[in-house]
Amino acid sequence: MKKDINYKSIIFALIPLVLMGPLAMDMYLPALSSIKTSMNTTGDLVQWTLSIFVFGFGFCQLIVGAVVGYLGRNKTLFIALLLYLTATLSCAMTDNIYVLILFRFIQALGACGCMVLSMAIVRELVNTEKDSTKAYTFLSGCTALAPILAPIFGALILELLLSWRFIFYFLGMFSLLGLLLFGLKISKLEKALKSDHSIAPLKYSLVINNLDFWSYAVLGAAGMTCLFTFFSLSPFILVERYNLIPKEFSIAFGLCAFIFLIGSILGPKIVEKLKLDSTLALSFLTIATTGLLMAFMPLNYQTLRLFIILMMIVNFWLGISFGLCMAGAMKHFKYNADKAASVYGFQQFIIAFSIGTLVVLSGFKTQAALGITIFCVSFTALTLNFLIKNIKSNRGLSYAVSN
């Protein structure tokens, strides 16, 4: 890494880019009923504007990784920013629900391009595992601000300006900030980073065949699945089961996100004491145990206060582990990290989207269903992590014996 590159200032410049996706998912949630009324459509079709965004955000990550190899990072990131801006403004101006769904998918493509390339830039900028862990957990903590603040800002815009369209106009203006920082800071990185090395473009097969990558990627996918399932089921649990009004729901939801942020801040400090693998093992063991307790708690003990406490515990340990999983998966891909970041994001969001959607479609929109899902995905990920590390260890032992 060039000595004249101030990587901390670049990390701060990446914040708007990594926030574009989370903001686009969370800020318009208070306006879903307004969109339904405005477009004279059904609740199911309006729900697709969220589902298609999550699906597109995950699926398009592989596309971004491939495009970078042809166009380079700067052109790809610039195109992603323009796609996001154009699609966001188009969402604001359309009167057709199907057109809105289409532009939400394009918006997701732009947002995932910004996310993938931001994570790749982080890996190439930092030289040590400690700095990498701090950078990823910091950006992970920043994304936790979206579910805390975005619904509040969205509701405020809706209340003051009386139209859901202004939420998308705000997102469009936010993307202009990303374009400004791209021009001032990020676009100057490509040449500086490339001058540090000369290496052939990384192939997807080299990422897919790396066992160490998958030992962390499965944990990252489990964490995202827990979050997505919580996002999907929390309206049914908190509003229908515990009868919270929208304002109370936003407070409860924001409290869990705030605890996630605290976990993200503490993650690097805990790693210094316990090391990366031990911290992740402790995190997912705690998450799995809490999910089990949530699933099999007797009905007479199921209270709103206890449910929120249990979800705060889950979110705290998810906050600790989220950035750590990314740091661990990316540690072998110092150069040309774009494809590694795209594979990581693809499997993370597709697995989360698939499992979360299946849980919702099953009809079991209860606290028990959420707890069972959290336990199953966490325990499965821990088991896979253990098996992958054993396979890797046995391969290394076999290689040593043969030599």
Side-chain angles (χ1 to χ4, degrees):
M1 184 179 69
K2 291 273 187 186
K3 291 184 179 180
D4 58 350
I5 298 177
N6 185 348
Y7 84 85
K8 291 184 178 180
S9 68
I10 300 299
I11 299 300
F12 277 101
L14 293 174
I15 293 174
L17 273 65
V18 300
L19 281 178
M20 285 183 185
L23 286 178
M25 280 190 276
D26 296 318
M27 184 168 282
Y28 90 123
L29 292 179
L32 291 180
S33 60
S34 297
I35 294 173
K36 176 184 173 183
T37 303
S38 172
M39 293 191 172
N40 192 26
T41 186
T42 65
D44 288 340
L45 282 174
V46 174
Q47 184 66 30
W48 265 106
T49 63
L50 177 61
S51 299
I52 200 68
F53 185 93
V54 175
F55 174 78
F57 194 82
F59 178 78
C60 293
Q61 301 211 26
L62 285 182
I63 298 174
V64 173
V67 170
V68 171
Y70 291 98
L71 298 181
R73 183 175 298 157
N74 275 350
K75 288 182 180 178
T76 306
L77 185 52
F78 183 66
I79 291 171
L81 286 163
L82 286 182
L83 279 176
Y84 185 91
L85 174 61
T86 304
T88 301
L89 295 179
S90 299
C91 287
M93 292 184 284
T94 186
D95 290 313
N96 186 292
I97 186 63
Y98 296 102
V99 175
L100 179 61
I101 292 171
L102 172 64
F103 281 115
R104 284 285 287 173
F105 182 84
I106 298 173
Q107 187 188 37
L109 173 57
C112 89
C114 294
M115 177 68 79
V116 167
L117 295 174
S118 296
M119 295 304 172
I121 288 170
V122 169
R123 184 62 196 94
E124 292 198 10
L125 273 175
V126 297
N127 287 321
T128 67
E129 186 173 330
K130 181 179 178 180
D131 286 340
S132 175
T133 299
K134 286 183 177 179
Y136 282 122
T137 52
F138 173 75
L139 290 177
S140 176
C142 289
T143 61
L145 291 173
I148 299 173
L149 300 177
I152 297 173
F153 282 134
L156 188 62
I157 291 171
L158 194 63
E159 182 179 345
L160 294 177
L161 301 177
L162 304 177
S163 174
W164 58 268
R165 300 179 189 277
F166 285 100
I167 295 174
F168 286 97
Y169 285 131
F170 175 85
L171 291 172
M173 289 189 292
F174 188 80
S175 67
L176 290 176
L177 174 61
L179 278 167
L180 177 63
L181 290 171
F182 170 79
L184 294 176
K185 283 274 187 184
I186 303 167
S187 62
K188 300 173 183 178
L189 282 176
E190 190 165 37
K191 184 177 179 180
L193 290 174
K194 282 188 174 180
S195 66
D196 279 23
H197 58 87
S198 177
I199 189 167
L202 184 67
K203 296 180 180 178
Y204 277 123
S205 60
L206 296 179
V207 180
I208 294 170
N209 292 330
N210 188 298
L211 288 177
D212 211 29
F213 170 85
W214 286 110
S215 68
Y216 297 105
V218 294
L219 295 176
M224 180 60 74
T225 302
C226 291
L227 279 181
F228 183 73
T229 308
F230 172 57
F231 292 162
S232 301
L233 294 185
S234 58
F236 300 100
I237 298 171
L238 293 173
V239 176
E240 296 184 10
R241 168 72 172 83
Y242 292 113
N243 301 313
L244 296 190
I245 62 175
K247 184 179 180 180
E248 293 170 333
F249 170 77
S250 297
I251 293 172
F253 196 79
L255 181 60
C256 289
F258 176 73
I259 296 299
F260 182 98
L261 174 61
I262 297 300
S264 298
I265 294 171
L266 295 178
K269 299 182 184 300
I270 296 175
V271 168
E272 290 179 6
K273 301 287 185 181
L274 301 180
K275 304 303 181 185
L276 179 61
D277 289 347
S278 297
T279 303
L280 288 174
L282 176 61
S283 297
F284 282 94
L285 277 173
T286 307
I287 292 167
T289 303
T290 307
L292 195 63
L293 180 62
M294 187 185 302
F296 295 102
M297 185 183 300
L299 283 174
N300 56 314
Y301 285 97
Q302 290 186 14
T303 64
L304 172 63
R305 180 178 297 178
L306 187 54
F307 173 73
I308 292 178
I309 289 173
L310 292 175
M311 281 312 307
M312 286 169 62
I313 295 171
V314 169
N315 277 274
F316 176 75
W317 289 99
L318 284 175
I320 288 173
S321 63
F322 227 65
L324 302 184
C325 293
M326 185 74 173
M330 296 292 291
K331 66 183 179 182
H332 295 298
F333 305 101
K334 168 66 177 174
Y335 303 120
N336 293 314
D338 311 286
K339 287 185 173 62
S342 66
V343 172
Y344 183 90
F346 172 80
Q347 61 87 34
Q348 186 184 46
F349 276 90
I350 291 301
I351 290 173
F353 173 80
S354 301
I355 294 177
T357 302
L358 283 174
V359 173
V360 173
L361 292 177
S362 71
F364 296 104
K365 303 168 185 177
T366 62
Q367 178 176 318
L370 176 59
I372 290 171
T373 304
I374 290 173
F375 169 75
C376 288
V377 297
S378 300
F379 183 77
T380 301
L382 273 174
T383 303
L384 289 173
N385 174 270
F386 176 78
L387 292 174
I388 292 169
K389 286 190 176 296
N390 271 354
I391 293 171
K392 179 191 170 188
S393 178
N394 290 335
R395 281 187 181 180
L397 182 63
S398 300
Y399 178 80
V401 170
S402 65
N403 285 275

